Amino acid sequence: MPLRLQARHQLADIVVRYHAPHDAPGAWGLSLVPAAIENQAVAPRENLGTPPVLALPGAFLPIRAWEVAPLVALHRRGDPLPPAFSNGRTLLASPTAQTLAVRDHAALRENGVTTLRTALASPGGLVCIHDIVHHDGDRALVIRITLRNDGAAPLTLDFAASFCLGGITPFAADDAPGRLHLHRFRSAWSAEARHERRSIEELHLERTWSGHGIQVERISQAGSMPVNGWHPFAAVEDAAAGVFWAAQLAAAGSWQLELFRRADQLALAGGLADRHAGEWGKTLRPGETLALPDAFVTAVAGTLDDACARLTALQRHPLAAQPPGERELPVIFNEWCSSWGAPTHDSLTALAGTLAARAGGAVKYLVIDDGWAERPSRGFQQNGDWLVNRAAFPAGLRATADAIRARGLVPGLWFEFEAVNPGSRAWDETSHQLHRDGAPLQVGNRRFWDFRDPWVHDFLAGRVTALLRDSRIGYLKIDHNDTLGPGVDGPESPGENLRRHLAGVQQFLVRLRDGLPDLVIETCASGGHRLEPSWLALSALGSATDAHETPDIPVIAASLHRLILPAQSQIWAVLRASDSPQRLAYSLAATFLGRMCLSGDIGALDETQWGLVRDGLAAYREAVPLIRDGQWRTRRETGPSWQHPRGWQLAAARDEAAQTVLVVWHRFAGGQNEVTHALPAPGAWRLAREFSERPAVALDGGALTLADTREWTGGVALLRRETR
């Protein structure tokens, strides 16, 4: 068979296969196959044999029906650009990749970690180390690529992918008409994680009749908000075989993902945004290396939820470095929706007193949001100097933090330390700020520090780290409220300069964590614009969304389960004195889909309202193990609009042994009044705890039924299997 299997390994239930053409044995490509159905894979057809092809002159024939996508996809500046009408649309077909040949391949094993290491090299001195890393117990893989210039002269790359999976699908010998679909997730401010499923035919990715043209579908983001427009995730489904191939990038800034086709099979690739998508190019001098962003990949015979759960499970590894108390998912109170940017010592002391007296010790953190720092012109968001507003905090932040701690809570503080605003003295420190086209980069009313500059690190260590330490702050909310765009000035390409700047921001976070190891860090970027693995790896949790009091909060929160861990997904429940029990239950129930974050006018709630809040807090504490470790699945009917949902949603988490189940439900406008949810069988179940404005759950054998629910309410049911 002209398609040669060069190496095969099984990691957990994933078979890793390296193929190469018979006439280019060093040009390896990568494919993944679920081990359980590997025997159902078929050999690809060798040549195209349709009537239009066979009608071509004999000199044009045969036309090979398959090709091997490159193991390492990249483009070196100066090499020929990709052909077949793809120049300007993709660099994935660059001839540079064809110059790379495998020099060595080995499986390494150490301390429960298996690494499949492949070394490739090109005649020009470019060396690529392609690692597939698997930790025992995981059902997904990390692809990690390092590039090195072993030549005598500099070389410049305009494209370098973190991963490239080919051979999709190995379960069809032809071009698999009607069975392949792309899954991706759109994102917008206060509207994160909207799932989209499109057929390959809808995306206009059918192979051309002769295989001459290249088809490509690309999604990308250019800037400092990696979840701005799209989440860095893509999956391909073979609906006939019931298989998903999924990938997620750990991308701090600009990135791209593309689905590529020239032959029968598809290739899915992604990594740094290239010269086209992100103004990126990187010159490697002799001896210099470049580590590309990690890519998480998996293949599963199952559902999209199964594929996503495998990838999000990889995000658990960095959580071991978080302060131990975070494992209990303590409840947060953030005063943003209480003061709307005007906190004071007196208001915070009153909030802390209310929480201490009425929340029963169930809230741990009280976060002081924007407005604590001096605003020279008294304008909104005029930060940068990070000097305490003495009018609001006459004795300084330490006095307020001590008052919060005296009432049994841990004080938290908001910072947006990457940005500087008009009116601050920092605004005029332009030599230490990012520039674009020779002028300070300004987006709206923000300029930005240059984190490639050691002066910036030292300045912020004095203003941020010292203030947190001296004020005994235990929780840090880091915000980032606009994107830098595709690139900044500097010694390299705009995109590479941006990448190095963002690496500096993350290095500052590492320095901050090293200096304050007990500090709990929340990543926020106007809500969820940085909900991707590299930022979350440096944080205990992330802000799920800036949707504070909107009806779509439970829809957004449940949608994010496919992309981040619920344990790291902070969800707002803003409590108002005007809230009915129905509204309070709706808001509080949504927080069971992640980390509970309260806000609002809690001092004005009456005792009946506080009774319902306390019930919700008690239920949340009991539900923490399932929120943190449960296997989540969601069913819903919302209609086309998230902001005006019609119908219902039911999200359920169960433990690994299926002994406990958590059901979080919401009823929107209209829709059916009764919803049934099948429970894991066999066994009898009992209702251990219910939280809602009024009882709504009934158990009948192996099913839970919601009945007689009113519009715009929600609730929670915790179920336990009966033991005899």
Side-chain angles (χ1 to χ4, degrees):
M1 174 61 64
L3 182 62
R4 296 173 50 167
L5 179 63
Q6 301 292 69
R8 178 193 177 279
H9 307 268
Q10 183 168 339
L11 301 174
D13 61 356
I14 303 170
V15 175
V16 180
R17 306 199 301 186
Y18 299 88
H19 287 98
H22 74 285
D23 49 359
W28 287 22
L30 173 67
S31 67
L32 305 178
V33 182
I37 59 170
E38 185 185 13
N39 61 355
Q40 298 178 27
V42 297
R45 59 180 175 177
E46 182 61 24
N47 297 313
L48 295 180
T50 61
V53 169
L54 297 178
L56 291 170
F60 290 9
L61 303 177
I63 298 175
R64 183 176 284 176
W66 54 267
E67 71 174 1
V68 176
L71 181 63
V72 177
L74 42 75
H75 176 73
R76 180 171 46 206
R77 190 175 298 176
D79 285 356
L81 290 159
F85 323 113
S86 67
N87 184 26
R89 299 181 64 206
T90 180
L91 290 168
L92 193 57
S94 168
T96 301
Q98 305 308 317
T99 69
L100 293 170
V102 172
R103 295 289 182 260
D104 185 56
H105 177 74
L108 312 174
R109 176 82 177 162
E110 184 177 5
N111 297 327
V113 179
T114 300
T115 301
L116 305 180
R117 176 161 295 168
T118 309
L120 306 93
S122 73
L126 178 62
V127 174
C128 306
I129 305 300
H130 181 285
D131 286 343
I132 297 179
V133 181
H134 176 256
H135 292 255
D136 288 355
D138 288 343
R139 292 184 296 169
L141 316 172
V142 179
I143 297 182
R144 190 169 291 148
I145 296 177
T146 302
L147 309 176
R148 185 176 72 246
N149 182 2
D150 277 358
L155 61 88
T156 299
L157 299 173
D158 287 332
F159 164 62
S162 293
F163 77 99
C164 183
L165 299 180
I168 302 172
T169 173
F171 301 104
D174 57 7
D175 55 342
R179 59 192 284 173
L180 298 177
H181 299 80
L182 173 65
H183 293 257
R184 51 192 177 181
F185 291 87
R186 295 183 180 272
S187 180
W189 181 71
S190 295
E192 293 80 0
R194 183 160 188 140
H195 173 239
E196 177 182 285
R197 179 182 187 258
R198 301 285 299 278
S199 72
I200 295 308
E201 291 77 13
E202 288 177 305
L203 294 170
H204 211 39
L205 285 174
E206 292 182 273
R207 64 160 300 149
T208 60
W209 66 275
S210 69
H212 176 54
I214 289 174
Q215 314 287 48
V216 64
E217 175 76 5
R218 173 187 286 187
I219 58 174
S220 63
Q221 186 284 139
S224 54
M225 289 179 160
V227 185
N228 182 21
W230 300 96
H231 289 259
F233 170 97
V236 181
E237 173 192 5
D238 180 341
V243 175
F244 284 82
W245 294 265
Q248 185 176 35
L249 293 170
S254 303
W255 57 267
Q256 67 185 47
L257 287 160
E258 51 190 316
L259 198 56
F260 174 95
R261 184 176 218 167
R262 178 163 47 190
D264 278 349
Q265 295 79 30
L266 293 168
L268 176 63
L272 294 170
D274 63 16
R275 189 176 186 184
H276 298 318
E279 300 183 10
W280 183 82
K282 172 67 177 176
T283 298
L284 291 175
R285 291 165 181 79
E288 190 174 0
T289 63
L290 173 66
L292 299 177
D294 285 356
F296 300 170
V297 299
T298 194
V300 59
T303 66
L304 177 65
D305 285 317
D306 296 330
C308 291
R310 289 166 172 244
L311 297 184
T312 57
L314 296 184
Q315 298 174 28
R316 296 187 185 277
H317 292 300
L319 293 181
Q322 294 300 326
E326 277 302 287
R327 182 164 172 78
E328 300 308 314
L329 310 189
V331 175
I332 304 141
F333 187 95
N334 183 304
E335 59 78 40
W336 172 250
C337 297
S338 304
S339 77
W340 293 112
T344 66
H345 173 83
D346 291 343
S347 69
L348 288 159
T349 302
L351 284 172
T354 298
L355 290 170
R358 311 195 76 172
V363 177
K364 180 174 183 179
Y365 301 114
L366 173 53
V367 180
I368 309 167
D369 212 288
D370 188 19
W372 62 265
E374 184 65 43
R375 294 167 171 166
S377 301
R378 303 292 182 259
F380 182 67
Q381 291 191 331
Q382 288 188 332
N383 303 305
D385 298 331
W386 303 115
L387 302 174
V388 176
N389 178 357
R390 290 290 178 161
F393 300 91
L397 274 181
R398 174 62 183 264
T400 304
D402 286 348
I404 291 171
R405 286 187 179 274
R407 288 156 177 81
L409 292 107
V410 176
L413 197 63
W414 172 95
F415 264 103
E416 190 185 359
F417 55 68
E418 294 169 61
V420 295
N421 300 103
S424 66
R425 288 188 289 275
W427 183 261
D428 298 319
E429 293 281 2
T430 57
S431 63
H432 302 295
Q433 296 169 8
L434 294 172
H435 284 60
R436 174 81 179 185
D437 300 327
L441 173 63
Q442 185 169 339
V443 181
N445 69 338
R446 286 174 173 79
R447 293 177 181 171
F448 303 88
W449 292 123
D450 185 346
F451 277 79
R452 298 167 295 176
D453 183 345
W455 182 94
V456 170
H457 288 249
D458 292 340
F459 171 80
L460 290 175
R463 296 296 174 94
V464 178
T465 311
L467 181 63
L468 295 171
R469 181 184 60 247
D470 295 345
S471 299
R472 296 181 66 220
I473 300 296
Y475 183 106
L476 172 63
K477 175 180 177 178
I478 301 173
D479 214 343
H480 179 67
N481 283 310
D482 222 324
T483 178
L484 299 177
V488 297
D489 292 350
E492 302 195 63
S493 67
E496 174 62 9
N497 295 329
L498 175 65
R499 186 193 70 83
R500 293 181 61 187
H501 159 74
L502 291 171
V505 177
Q506 294 192 332
Q507 288 165 8
F508 180 77
L509 284 186
V510 171
R511 176 180 175 181
L512 187 62
R513 286 177 52 183
D514 290 345
L516 300 170
D518 295 327
L519 185 69
V520 172
I521 295 177
E522 171 198 340
T523 291
C524 179
S526 280
H529 286 105
R530 280 181 169 171
L531 294 180
E532 59 76 43
S534 76
W535 288 107
L536 289 172
L538 298 172
S539 315
L541 68 162
S543 175
T545 182
D546 261 1
H548 298 122
E549 301 180 66
T550 60
D552 54 352
I553 292 175
V555 181
I556 296 169
S559 298
L560 280 166
H561 287 174
R562 287 171 161 171
L563 298 162
I564 68 172
L565 296 170
Q568 290 190 284
S569 183
Q570 179 184 294
I571 301 158
W572 293 89
V574 180
L575 312 177
R576 301 295 184 197
S578 59
D579 285 347
S580 65
Q582 185 177 345
R583 172 64 189 180
L584 287 172
Y586 186 94
S587 299
L588 289 165
T591 67
F592 285 69
L593 299 168
R595 290 289 297 269
M596 179 183 284
C597 178
L598 305 179
S599 192
D601 308 324
I602 60 168
L605 300 183
D606 62 28
E607 184 53 38
T608 299
Q609 291 171 311
W610 264 111
L612 188 60
V613 173
R614 282 192 292 270
D615 287 347
L617 289 167
Y620 186 85
R621 293 262 46 88
E622 195 169 345
V624 159
L626 282 166
I627 297 170
R628 181 189 62 222
D629 301 322
Q631 301 172 17
W632 285 90
R633 296 294 184 270
T634 297
R635 298 166 50 217
R636 65 186 177 206
E637 295 178 4
T638 64
S641 172
W642 279 15
Q643 293 189 24
H644 307 280
R646 297 186 60 82
W648 55 272
Q649 175 177 282
L650 190 151
R654 66 175 180 87
D655 67 346
E656 190 171 356
Q659 298 300 307
T660 57
V661 172
L662 174 68
V663 175
V664 181
W665 60 268
H666 284 83
R667 170 93 185 274
F668 310 122
Q672 63 197 71
N673 188 43
E674 185 172 299
V675 179
T676 299
H677 176 69
L679 298 170
W685 292 86
R686 65 179 177 88
L687 182 61
R689 180 183 282 274
E690 181 177 8
F691 168 73
S692 61
E693 52 136 351
R694 62 181 185 179
V697 170
L699 294 179
D700 182 11
L704 173 149
T705 299
L706 297 174
D708 194 28
T709 56
R710 293 191 283 183
E711 293 182 334
W712 303 114
T713 193
V716 175
L718 182 63
L719 311 173
R720 300 192 189 281
R721 192 188 293 273
E722 292 281 11
T723 57
R724 301 177 188 272

